[in-house]
Amino acid sequence: MTRLISILVGLGFTFVVLLAFVIGAWTFATEEVTPTAEHEFHVAPRHASYQFDGALGTWDYQQLQRGYQVYKEVCSACHSLKLVGFRNLAELGYTEAEVKAEAASWQVPGVDPVTGEASTRPGTATDYFPSPYPNDVAAAAANNNAVPPDLSLMTKARHHGTEYVRSLLTGYRNPNTFSVDGVRLKEEFPDFETPPALHFNPYFANLNIAMAPPLTANGQVTYADGTDPTIEQMATDVSAFLTWTAEPTLVRRKQTGWPVLGFLLFATVLAWYAKKQVWAPVKPKKRKGDNPA
């Protein structure tokens, strides 16, 4: 009796699951999809070429240093970089003295040795980049209730992350005049509005983003190498820098891959010749019914 009840219960669960699957599939196939502004006017990131692209790509260290400068002078006012240490800047071509000087130019959390109270102090090479806010509550209060995300892994957390960051930084538009393939947003969705505290950006998933345009004018930073600091150039440089922060071993991984592929190819050829050498003297047994050679 117990076995029969168990079988019936199992069949009941199976029937319910199948019924839910059939109803869901039928609803998906027959329900009319209502177009939304987010679906129709969210655009893919614009393609850009970087020196680290491709199987033979390498870092452009001057570009990474320029990107770090953009982050320091523009992005660090709101965004943290908590997974990157000042000592990691040596990988960008900075000398030990320059790394120490850069670290000392930042204020990091510390403790007053006399009173024991929380304070700030100049950074050292062993410190990590500090957050601009003491906690998420303070960050939200300063940014229209939106907590600015940490940028350490941003290009790994977004599809086409490097191009996404670059496109987002340069993608702020006027929703009243924005169009895709000749179709204007306001003509297709006349009720679409950007709230006063938000900003229209078609590269952002829901079109309205809390972050104000961070790059507002050419020459916002002054590059030491003389590169013209246009908005496009600054966005390209900082997106390359954030690609390095997200995966500093990117180029090393590519360079390691080629010897590994070469070894695997050599091992495959060696195994094939070994197989031919070992089994060459062994003749297959004739089976009954085989035609004589």
Side-chain angles (χ1 to χ4, degrees), residues 50-111:
Y50 292 86
Q51 187 171 308
F52 53 78
D53 290 337
L56 300 175
T58 57
W59 293 121
D60 181 344
Y61 291 107
Q62 283 192 322
Q63 182 180 57
L64 296 183
Q65 291 185 12
R66 294 196 303 267
Y68 165 66
Q69 184 178 350
V70 176
Y71 167 76
K72 179 181 179 181
E73 297 185 18
V74 180
C75 307
S76 65
C78 297
H79 295 277
S80 59
L81 207 62
K82 63 183 181 182
L83 299 182
V84 183
F86 292 115
R87 63 179 178 273
N88 298 127
L89 294 177
E91 299 176 24
L92 304 187
Y94 290 105
T95 65
E96 182 178 353
E98 289 172 332
V99 170
K100 291 181 179 179
E102 277 299 321
S105 69
W106 293 74
Q107 291 293 312
V108 301
V111 177

Side-chain angles (χ1 to χ4, degrees), residues 1-13:
M1 186 65 180
T2 303
R3 181 177 298 178
L4 178 61
I5 293 175
S6 301
I7 293 174
L8 292 175
V9 171
L11 290 174
F13 276 113

Side-chain angles (χ1 to χ4, degrees), residues 30-262:
T30 58
E31 186 178 23
E32 293 186 5
V33 178
T34 303
T36 62
E38 291 84 353
H39 181 265
E40 298 292 329
F41 289 89
H42 173 55
V43 295
R46 294 180 291 117
H47 176 70
S49 297
Y50 292 86
Q51 187 171 308
F52 53 78
D53 290 337
L56 300 175
T58 57
W59 293 121
D60 181 344
Y61 291 107
Q62 283 192 322
Q63 182 180 57
L64 296 183
Q65 291 185 12
R66 294 196 303 267
Y68 165 66
Q69 184 178 350
V70 176
Y71 167 76
K72 179 181 179 181
E73 297 185 18
V74 180
C75 307
S76 65
C78 297
H79 295 277
S80 59
L81 207 62
K82 63 183 181 182
L83 299 182
V84 183
F86 292 115
R87 63 179 178 273
N88 298 127
L89 294 177
E91 299 176 24
L92 304 187
Y94 290 105
T95 65
E96 182 178 353
E98 289 172 332
V99 170
K100 291 181 179 179
E102 277 299 321
S105 69
W106 293 74
Q107 291 293 312
V108 301
V111 177
D112 190 310
V114 178
T115 64
E117 296 180 352
S119 63
T120 59
R121 59 172 175 79
T124 64
T126 57
D127 290 317
Y128 285 79
F129 282 89
S131 172
Y133 304 103
N135 51 56
D136 287 348
V137 175
N143 294 277
N144 297 316
N145 292 322
V147 179
D150 180 79
L151 297 182
S152 303
L153 302 176
M154 182 55 64
T155 59
K156 297 292 286 184
R158 298 292 184 270
H159 190 54
H160 297 303
T162 306
E163 296 171 343
Y164 168 79
V165 171
R166 177 179 177 272
S167 299
L168 187 74
L169 292 175
T170 59
Y172 291 86
R173 300 288 186 271
N174 184 346
N176 297 319
T177 58
F178 181 73
S179 63
V180 174
D181 296 331
V183 180
R184 292 183 60 179
L185 170 63
K186 278 297 188 178
E187 292 178 356
E188 191 76 12
F189 299 94
D191 295 333
F192 177 84
E193 295 291 341
T194 296
L198 302 181
H199 307 270
F200 179 76
N201 193 317
Y203 297 101
F204 193 63
N206 64 1
L207 305 184
N208 294 320
I209 184 172
M211 180 176 68
L215 302 176
T216 56
N218 296 332
Q220 196 166 338
V221 302
T222 302
Y223 287 142
D225 63 1
T227 302
D228 186 16
T230 63
I231 291 179
E232 285 284 343
Q233 185 66 55
M234 291 185 289
T236 301
D237 292 340
V238 75
S239 61
F241 171 71
L242 293 178
T243 301
W244 171 79
T245 65
E247 192 174 5
T249 58
L250 173 66
V251 169
R252 193 179 311 130
R253 174 170 57 82
K254 293 179 180 181
Q255 294 172 344
T256 304
W258 288 108
V260 171
L261 289 175

